[in-house]
Amino acid sequence: MEHIRTPKVEHVSLIDRASPRKPCVGTLYLTASHSIFVEHDAERHRETWVLHSLVCLVEKLPTTPAGCPLLLRCRNFQVFQFIIPQEKDCQDVHASLTRLSRPERYAELYCFSFNPNTDKEAREEGWSAIDLQAEYRRMGLPNHLWQLTMANRDYRVCDTYPSDLYVPKSVTTPIVVGSSKFRSRGRFPTLTYYHRDNHATICRSSQPLSGFSARCLEDEQMLQAITSSNPGSSFMYVVDTRPKLNAMANRAAGKGYENEDNYSNIRFQFLGIENIHVMRSSQQKMFEVCDLRSPTMTDFLWGLENSGWLKHIKAILDAGVFIARAVAEEGVSVLVHCSDGWDRTAQACSVASLLLDPFYRTLKGLMVLIERDWVSFGHKFSHRYGHLDGDPREVSPVMDQFLECVWQLSLQFPCAFEYNERFLLHLHEQIHSCQFGNFLGNSQKEREELRVRERTHSVWAHLWMNRADYINPLYRPDHSQTQGVLRPATAPYCFKFWRGMYCRSEQVHQRPPTVTDVLTTVREESQQLEAELSAQQEVPRGTAHPASEQENGDFGKDAYDERHSQDEHSE
Amino acid sequence: MEFAELIKTPRVDGVVLHRPFMPTVEGTLCLTGHHLILSSRQDNTEELWLLHSNIDYIEKRFVGSLGTIIVKCKDLRIIQLDIPGMEECLNIASSIEALSTLDSVSLMYPFFYRPMFEVVEDGWNMFLPEEAFKEIETLTDEWRLSSVNKDFGVCPTYPQLVAVPKAVDDDTLRKVATFRHGGRFPVLSYYHKKNGMVMMRAGQPLTGTNGRRCKEDEKLINATLRPGKRGYIIDTRAINVAQQAKARGGGFEQEASYPQWRRIHKAIERYNILQESLIKLVEACNDQSQSMDRWLSKLEASNWQTHVKEIVTTACLAAQCIDREGASVLVHGTEGTDSTLQVTSLAQIILDPCCRTMRGFQSLVEREWLQAGHPFQQRCAQSAYSNSKARLEAPVFLLFLDCVWQVLRQFPCSFQFNEHFLVLLFEHAYASQFGTFLGNNAAERLKLKLPQKTVSLWSWVNRPQEMERFLNPLYEPNNLVIWPSVAPQSLLLWEGVFLRWNRSSKCLDEAYDEMVHIIEYNKELQSKVNALRRQLAQLETGDGLLETP
């Protein structure tokens, strides 16, 4: 509370961008966690809550006769413009919000004070709901080819990896340790996805410390072991997701990429995804386009092209498609890395998994996928999304791009995803807002040190509780589009500008209902009718609607695993 | 003329057909007077029946004795025929070229087509001007139907009957016609029930460089104003284009002569600019390059989306003047047969819920395009592939359909028809077995005796078994004015037309079916619940006790 200079300002106007001439007048309150704007209009009494941790920029604009305009830009791309009558008040609010929106210590983050009305038991249940060991079991591990290694217990070998990792059965701890010494930050090759149908796998790591000529026997043994644990193929792909030039530049620093001559039975491939700095500036340029006042079509299309954003999205999706094709169609295992293996690698692996396995296209499946490929494998959430006031060069929209890839895929396969656009948008917001502890810190180890499981709540339980809002009405578990591997087209014209995400501020304006909204309402009504009918008599035939199943679905893993295996049977 | 003269080789065996997203078919190629037919002679394989008039351009290639003909269609599809034998291939190619560019309208397929269905409701009589006017008559007595153009002498491109202010007699109309481009004097386009405001359309006034005036013209349009009210003239040309028109005898309404009217200029492009835009857009869509930069830059350079934005914006402006400002509007460009009609018809989609129904939209196309004298035959003679120099060709109607699609997409529940219907109209405007889009105006259609000699598209579309495909399952009648967003990010590329042959639509079609399924299942439940409720009510009153099973 010590940062709040003025807890309450009266007669503040909130400007709606869609109709700037008709501002709402009300009172602005500053609390420890939120700015709250309460409209004076007795009829509507609308409240607007803005979480401090979602605010990325507080800007004072030049004073006008109406007062001092204050602009709040949020990390979920919402923009709020207030007009505060008194200069002094505006200064105070500006100073308070600037400080509040830039926490310096983890302890200041909202998740440590957020306290929904749930008991301790429910909270613990929420944390155990997504269980990665269950996920590896779901994929069929451990088995005669892959085993759980103890090498990274207590994060001894790699402090940015999870402690439980899968390696080929023949790989011993000395091989793991040796290989990890030859990889940036000790991130040795380890399994992330196992394709049950043909034993092909996706493994991930960081770049090798090969420089121009260095070799490492254990690393070579590790890759050979990965190749050998796929009985269906005599070689494996090693995919470097970086552009070739970047990878070559790294060689000068003693890092680099695998030399095909040193590793037996690998095929090496660059995939050309740009680094976090390029992505950050690309997104910035795209926002400038969204910010234009009444742009022409040319302004918009030229700006979109110039930002390069869709080009990067395409590169990521192309990478995912390459990996998925290798695994599903060629039956070849793939090792994926970039530099450190926590940004582009996470993107490529998770997009590929999404294409390969229908489970990740369910609500729970996407949670599991994010928990596995991003949270557990040490994607640096706090750095990338600027949770704490820190180095702006560490910030980059890596996860935004992954979520956008999912959205782009959902356009091509409207019936294949159980979740809707709103789920992706809310996930995005949660990643930035720190209302829950899941995305705190930069690794599993850090989260353990912060004791997030004891001190904060899990976002997955929260999202699951509200799952009715996130269901895609067109999804049916038994639909042919839902089954098997997705093979998206990636011609440039398949990629659309994600208006729902990047033009958030215009949505304040009333928009006609979308097809999804309408179908969701119709399906809810159908469920009520079903209930009414079943209360009176038998339900008519053909009622196998997924929504009614979900109504009773519980968050426990069993319910979901069962459903997934049902899908497989129906194939 | 006999078609046989043009057909050098009527059939070739062993031809291989390649089509986007369909399996390759081998079979016999046959040429008839109006069709290119490929038959595999197997019951389960789909055959190709292509109207020659749908062919925009063909390319020939030879590898040894194997010839290949690439057929580029007006509906933007590209198919490939591999023909064994060089001579056969050359013969087929030159026959197709001749048959797809027949000069005489009366040789076109609609004159030869015999429907395989019974015409229940004749489309030629469905949307007569006198019928359409009946409704307006019930609302106002300020307008009348004039037959001044009975013999097409006053305005060759108007229909025989037009709605004009009651206060203006036929002699005045004749005088006004001499002052408007092509004799297109101001006529009623739309009457807004809510406030009695109207939208009129006309050709440009022939003011010329010396600022000629026409008292009768001023009288006519002033007759539509309420006392003390001002109206708006929407000129679809940029001010400099309108200025330049003066040198050629055209011009625009001077403030001094029309003090009660405020003139607004918008810049909607015409003719070859639109045609080039279409050619560039289609070229961009067919580009196989994987480069995102290249695609976006080509899309932008085509300017197609800019035209869409400009038309929707202008239509919104017209609708706004009428509905929000409570003012009457006169719309014109140069001839009043292209951009004018885009604006007046799209404004009606925005304002009038009737135009968003299946019937109402057909009626709108009939009134504001066919009867209003949009020269379909000239505009749709070529599509995006033809490399002969465009003279009168322009995708004016396609742009209008694109704009309607944009509004439909933004208001997915407000239209009774779906996207497929718009695509259908696009296809038939360019090539059809029906006579609806033949000729350039009502006079030509009368002369060609189209109603007697051809079948109307509407006769076919309105058969229940056909109509079903074109109905929007989400439709909920919405009596409000709908205001589309014209922000660039709200206006998308119409994939249903421009990417139709470049990407598989399987998943999208499945999604559509799923949507239909969800809605039908809901209806089924509703009727069951209603039946059950009735039963219960009967039970409660005791009447039904004996009847229930």
Side-chain angles (χ1 to χ4, degrees):
Chain A
M1 291 304 250
E2 75 253 49
H3 306 302
I4 300 172
R5 299 200 192 174
T6 313
K8 177 180 172 189
V9 188
E10 307 249 26
H11 307 295
V12 172
S13 309
L14 175 62
I15 314 279
D16 182 351
R17 278 192 136 193
S19 48
R21 271 172 271 168
K22 280 184 280 180
C24 329
V25 180
T27 306
L28 181 67
Y29 298 90
L30 297 192
T31 73
S33 57
H34 290 85
S35 307
I36 306 164
F37 176 80
V38 183
E39 236 174 279
H40 281 168
D41 193 316
E43 275 175 38
R44 285 190 292 179
H45 191 78
R46 211 175 50 185
E47 291 179 8
T48 307
W49 289 56
V50 186
L51 198 60
H52 296 323
S53 51
L54 261 185
V55 175
C56 59
L57 189 71
V58 194
E59 209 177 336
K60 252 183 87 197
L61 302 178
T63 306
T64 67
C68 306
L70 188 74
L71 202 67
L72 299 194
R73 280 182 191 279
C74 298
R75 294 174 205 275
N76 64 351
F77 314 127
Q78 281 183 315
V79 179
F80 298 94
Q81 191 181 344
F82 296 105
I83 294 184
I84 298 173
Q86 299 296 320
E87 173 86 38
K88 171 79 176 62
D89 289 335
C90 186
Q91 265 170 11
D92 285 349
V93 173
H94 179 262
S96 312
L97 282 180
T98 303
R99 175 61 188 86
L100 289 166
S101 64
R102 274 185 217 154
E104 287 160 1
R105 292 170 298 118
Y106 283 122
E108 288 175 45
L109 289 171
Y110 183 42
C111 57
F112 291 111
S113 54
F114 173 63
N115 192 10
N117 277 331
T118 43
D119 53 26
K120 185 164 169 282
E121 236 169 70
R123 190 180 67 187
E124 280 167 6
E125 211 175 290
W127 276 109
S128 52
I130 302 289
D131 175 3
L132 285 186
Q133 286 321 303
E135 159 64 1
Y136 287 109
R137 279 200 300 278
R138 188 196 66 84
M139 289 194 282
L141 299 180
N143 62 8
H144 64 289
L145 299 166
W146 293 84
Q147 63 176 351
L148 187 66
T149 171
M150 299 295 157
N152 204 36
R153 278 285 144 91
D154 304 318
Y155 309 104
R156 275 178 303 209
V157 178
C158 172
D159 62 357
T160 58
Y161 262 0
S163 54
D164 293 341
L165 288 162
Y166 282 84
V167 292
K169 208 139 204 189
S170 62
V171 168
T172 57
T173 300
I175 295 180
V176 169
V177 174
S179 167
S180 81
K181 288 189 176 139
F182 189 64
R183 296 272 166 183
S184 276
R185 312 207 182 235
R187 294 171 68 92
F188 59 90
T190 176
L191 178 137
T192 174
Y193 175 75
Y194 176 78
H195 200 57
R196 226 187 226 186
D197 301 356
N198 59 9
H199 308 295
T201 56
I202 303 175
C203 295
R204 60 186 287 175
S205 70
S206 60
Q207 64 187 336
L209 304 176
S210 50
F212 290 101
S213 58
R215 292 182 64 162
C216 167
L217 183 63
E218 290 90 342
D219 197 61
E220 288 162 24
Q221 286 174 332
M222 174 70 104
L223 265 62
Q224 180 54 47
I226 294 173
T227 306
S228 310
S229 48
N230 176 8
S233 173
S234 57
F235 71 96
M236 76 185 288
Y237 284 109
V238 175
V239 158
D240 188 329
T241 57
R242 299 169 294 183
K244 189 173 182 184
L245 264 179
N246 300 23
M248 282 169 67
N250 266 297
R251 277 163 55 168
K255 300 168 187 170
Y257 52 93
E258 292 81 355
N259 183 340
E260 273 181 337
D261 299 338
N262 298 344
Y263 293 83
S264 44
N265 310 319
I266 67 162
R267 290 194 194 164
F268 188 84
Q269 178 80 31
F270 287 110
L271 288 179
I273 304 174
E274 298 288 350
N275 65 26
I276 57 166
H277 311 294
V278 174
M279 300 308 193
R280 177 176 57 242
S281 101
S282 168
Q283 196 185 44
Q284 194 52 45
K285 281 188 200 150
M286 188 176 60
F287 288 143
E288 285 160 20
V289 181
C290 301
D291 260 3
L292 292 174
R293 295 272 157 176
S294 41
T296 64
M297 193 53 87
T298 301
D299 293 339
F300 176 73
L301 289 175
W302 191 85
L304 194 60
E305 180 198 337
N306 192 43
S307 75
W309 182 257
L310 289 178
K311 178 170 69 187
H312 301 314
I313 299 294
K314 175 171 155 54
I316 296 163
L317 197 55
D318 276 330
V321 169
F322 178 91
I323 298 165
R325 193 178 293 151
V327 168
E329 270 151 50
E330 297 181 56
V332 177
S333 294
V334 186
L335 170 66
V336 185
H337 70 73
C338 47
S339 300
D340 292 316
W342 49 42
D343 294 315
R344 287 170 274 199
T345 299
Q347 288 175 331
C349 291
S350 50
V351 169
S353 301
L354 199 71
L355 295 173
L356 286 166
D357 191 337
F359 173 63
Y360 303 119
R361 296 173 228 142
T362 64
L363 205 53
K364 177 150 180 210
L366 185 66
M367 298 178 183
V368 168
L369 181 65
I370 291 174
E371 192 68 31
R372 188 191 75 200
D373 277 353
W374 298 81
V375 177
S376 88
F377 273 105
H379 175 62
K380 303 202 293 173
F381 281 94
S382 277
H383 283 165
R384 294 291 176 261
Y385 312 109
H387 291 161
L388 298 182
D389 197 19
D391 183 359
R393 286 178 44 82
E394 281 285 332
V395 176
S396 189
V398 183
M399 194 80 198
D400 301 30
Q401 291 182 316
F402 167 65
L403 294 175
E404 178 160 343
C405 285
V406 180
W407 177 78
Q408 300 279 1
L409 286 171
S410 75
L411 293 186
Q412 280 194 45
F413 304 96
C415 307
F417 294 83
E418 191 189 24
Y419 36 87
N420 58 20
E421 180 184 11
R422 189 178 296 147
F423 184 60
L424 302 176
L425 295 176
H426 283 194
L427 252 175
H428 178 264
E429 190 170 315
Q430 294 302 347
I431 285 162
H432 286 84
S433 72
C434 293
Q435 184 174 350
F436 299 88
N438 304 61
F439 307 119
L440 219 59
N442 296 305
S443 66
Q444 204 73 300
K445 185 167 176 250
E446 270 187 56
R447 273 181 293 277
E448 270 173 31
E449 284 161 9
L450 288 165
R451 293 189 294 121
V452 293
R453 278 176 171 252
E454 295 143 60
R455 298 166 66 203
T456 73
H457 295 261
S458 167
V459 70
W460 305 128
H462 167 79
L463 291 170
W464 185 253
M465 208 166 63
N466 298 310
R467 66 192 173 280
D469 291 345
Y470 303 133
I471 297 294
N472 168 16
L474 293 173
Y475 174 82
R476 239 188 323 123
D478 54 350
H479 195 286
S480 64
Q481 220 176 91
T482 315
Q483 318 301 319
V485 179
L486 295 185
R487 293 176 180 83
T490 61
Y493 49 69
C494 300
F495 293 82
K496 306 289 178 310
F497 171 75
W498 194 2
R499 187 177 172 208
M501 171 74 101
Y502 300 113
C503 298
R504 291 293 283 275
S505 47
E506 71 177 35
Q507 290 182 333
V508 183
H509 187 54
Q510 280 212 330
R511 277 223 223 141
T514 64
V515 175
T516 306
D517 296 338
V518 176
L519 290 179
T520 301
T521 314
V522 170
R523 278 196 29 181
E524 277 164 9
E525 193 192 274
S526 293
Q527 282 165 35
Q528 283 163 14
L529 293 171
E530 275 174 1
E532 187 173 342
L533 280 174
S534 63
Q536 300 296 341
Q537 59 167 67
E538 280 179 21
V539 181
R541 66 189 160 71
T543 53
H545 253 257
S548 47
E549 284 170 35
Q550 273 140 25
E551 205 57 30
N552 314 321
D554 99 82
F555 196 39
K557 60 182 195 305
D558 300 345
Y560 243 92
D561 287 349
E562 251 172 46
R563 245 195 52 202
H564 181 68
S565 54
Q566 261 173 19
D567 295 354
E568 284 174 349
H569 289 305
S570 64
E571 253 179 313
Chain B
M1 188 198 71
E2 283 295 319
F3 293 115
E5 291 167 23
L6 300 174
I7 304 171
K8 294 181 185 160
T9 301
R11 51 174 286 181
V12 186
D13 290 324
V15 174
V16 179
L17 165 72
H18 306 269
R19 281 174 294 183
F21 302 104
M22 287 209 220
T24 299
V25 183
E26 189 182 327
T28 303
L29 179 75
C30 300
L31 288 188
T32 72
H34 293 106
H35 285 97
L36 184 158
I37 302 162
L38 190 114
S39 164
S40 64
R41 298 175 188 275
Q42 278 164 20
D43 293 336
N44 54 351
T45 317
E46 205 189 313
E47 301 184 341
L48 177 74
W49 279 78
L50 188 70
L51 264 179
H52 293 315
S53 58
N54 190 3
I55 296 174
D56 207 26
Y57 186 65
I58 61 168
E59 271 170 32
K60 294 165 292 225
R61 282 186 214 147
F62 293 95
V63 178
S65 67
L66 181 74
T68 291
I69 301 181
I70 314 272
V71 181
K72 300 187 171 184
C73 303
K74 289 179 182 161
D75 61 14
L76 308 181
R77 173 173 30 161
I78 297 178
I79 58 178
Q80 182 184 328
L81 297 164
D82 296 340
I83 300 171
M86 185 179 294
E87 194 190 334
E88 282 84 353
C89 184
L90 284 170
N91 283 348
I92 294 283
S94 70
S95 305
I96 296 175
E97 264 167 354
L99 290 164
S100 62
T101 52
L102 295 176
D103 279 335
S104 170
V105 181
S106 57
L107 291 177
M108 304 289 267
Y109 185 52
F111 288 95
F112 299 82
Y113 169 72
R114 291 292 158 264
M116 299 291 280
F117 58 90
E118 191 194 347
V119 175
V120 181
E121 195 179 12
D122 188 355
W124 289 113
N125 302 324
M126 275 171 68
F127 308 104
L128 300 173
E130 50 269 44
E131 293 295 321
F133 189 71
K134 267 185 191 153
E135 205 206 329
I136 295 173
E137 263 181 326
T138 64
L139 303 164
T140 170
D141 59 356
E142 291 167 15
W143 295 82
R144 69 183 180 96
L145 218 47
S146 164
S147 54
V148 68
N149 201 38
K150 201 167 178 39
D151 53 3
F152 305 104
V154 179
C155 172
T157 60
Y158 270 171
Q160 288 168 301
L161 294 171
V162 286
V164 294
K166 197 166 243 176
V168 178
D169 60 25
D170 283 357
D171 282 337
T172 311
L173 293 177
R174 286 190 191 93
K175 285 183 188 138
V176 177
T178 63
F179 181 66
R180 290 275 172 181
H181 193 117
R184 293 177 70 95
F185 53 88
V187 294
L188 180 72
S189 160
Y190 170 66
Y191 181 87
H192 197 43
K193 278 180 221 168
K194 193 169 126 191
N195 58 11
M197 293 300 129
V198 295
M199 180 158 58
M200 290 173 292
R201 51 180 161 75
Q204 66 178 341
L206 303 174
T207 58
T209 40
N210 48 11
R212 196 159 76 95
R213 283 181 70 166
C214 174
K215 289 280 176 206
E216 289 80 4
D217 189 74
E218 292 158 28
K219 183 186 159 199
L220 190 162
I221 72 166
N222 286 339
T224 66
L225 291 177
R226 297 277 154 81
K229 281 282 208 174
R230 274 161 63 104
Y232 289 87
I233 294 172
I234 296 177
D235 191 324
T236 60
R237 302 164 297 180
I239 178 78
N240 61 320
V241 178
Q243 292 276 12
Q244 284 157 15
K246 283 184 180 174
R248 291 188 298 274
F252 50 84
E253 295 82 355
Q254 298 290 347
E255 285 81 356
S257 320
Y258 300 84
Q260 289 158 283
W261 295 81
R262 207 185 132 206
R263 205 181 64 248
I264 302 171
H265 288 273
K266 300 297 276 184
I268 301 181
E269 295 290 355
R270 309 184 319 139
Y271 290 148
N272 55 336
I273 293 184
L274 299 184
Q275 188 68 15
E276 272 166 31
S277 188
L278 174 67
I279 291 169
K280 281 187 194 163
L281 175 67
V282 171
E283 208 263 309
C285 293
N286 289 336
D287 191 331
Q288 301 295 311
S289 152
Q290 284 291 312
S291 158
M292 182 64 75
D293 287 354
R294 190 174 155 112
W295 157 248
L296 287 172
S297 125
K298 282 185 146 188
L299 178 63
E300 189 271 306
S302 80
N303 265 327
W304 184 268
Q305 297 293 89
T306 300
H307 304 316
V308 170
K309 179 166 159 44
E310 202 58 42
I311 296 164
V312 181
T313 307
T314 309
C316 285
L317 173 73
Q320 214 167 1
C321 292
I322 292 169
D323 188 68
R324 295 260 171 101
E325 305 273 324
S328 286
V329 172
L330 169 66
V331 185
H332 70 73
T334 304
E335 289 92 345
T337 54
D338 295 281
S339 55
T340 304
L341 306 181
Q342 289 173 329
V343 173
T344 57
S345 53
L346 195 60
Q348 293 179 54
I349 297 270
I350 293 168
L351 291 168
D352 186 359
C354 281
C355 295
R356 296 173 225 141
T357 64
M358 192 74 190
R359 252 321 145 106
F361 188 68
Q362 292 172 23
S363 166
L364 181 78
V365 170
E366 188 73 32
R367 265 185 295 124
E368 292 294 297
W369 290 88
L370 292 161
Q371 287 163 20
H374 174 68
F376 275 97
Q377 201 167 315
Q378 291 174 351
R379 297 288 180 263
C380 301
Q382 294 174 7
S383 177
Y385 299 122
S386 173
N387 68 347
S388 55
K389 189 157 169 47
R391 289 159 301 145
L392 299 166
E393 289 78 4
V396 179
F397 187 60
L398 174 57
L399 263 168
F400 160 70
L401 295 174
D402 193 330
C403 295
V404 176
W405 177 78
Q406 304 285 351
V407 184
L408 189 152
R409 208 192 55 80
Q410 290 186 29
F411 296 87
C413 306
S414 297
F415 289 77
Q416 193 185 17
F417 52 90
N418 59 19
E419 177 181 359
H420 299 141
F421 187 56
L422 297 174
V423 176
L424 177 91
L425 292 184
F426 158 61
E427 290 173 340
H428 283 269
Y430 280 82
S432 177
Q433 67 269 46
F434 302 108
T436 300
F437 293 106
L438 287 183
N440 291 301
N441 50 53
E444 282 188 27
R445 274 190 287 275
L446 195 73
K447 214 168 133 195
L448 289 165
K449 297 203 171 64
L450 292 182
Q452 293 82 34
K453 294 188 168 173
T454 72
V455 180
S456 163
L457 171 64
W458 314 134
S459 303
W460 177 73
V461 155
N462 288 310
R463 301 171 71 233
Q465 53 272 63
E466 302 300 335
M467 178 128 70
E468 203 181 348
R469 281 188 292 147
F470 303 120
L471 290 176
N472 175 9
L474 295 174
Y475 178 56
E476 287 283 341
N478 167 8
N479 281 319
L480 301 172
V481 176
I482 52 176
W483 298 107
S485 160
V486 296
Q489 58 266 36
S490 314
L491 301 172
L492 303 185
L493 177 70
W494 188 9
E495 296 186 23
V497 165
F498 297 110
L499 297 178
R500 183 178 178 193
W501 311 105
N502 299 327
R503 53 145 175 73
S504 162
S505 64
K506 181 173 163 278
C507 292
L508 302 180
D509 294 344
E510 283 171 357
Y512 187 86
D513 293 345
E514 196 61 28
M515 177 170 89
V516 172
H517 170 76
I518 289 171
I519 286 166
E520 276 175 0
Y521 176 63
N522 177 268
K523 284 185 185 150
E524 183 190 322
L525 283 175
Q526 252 167 5
S527 65
K528 290 216 159 131
V529 167
N530 287 340
L532 191 68
R533 283 179 189 158
R534 269 197 308 277
Q535 252 180 25
L536 283 173
Q538 275 175 1
L539 281 174
E540 269 168 26
T541 55
D543 298 344
L545 272 175
L546 297 172
E547 293 163 36
T548 42

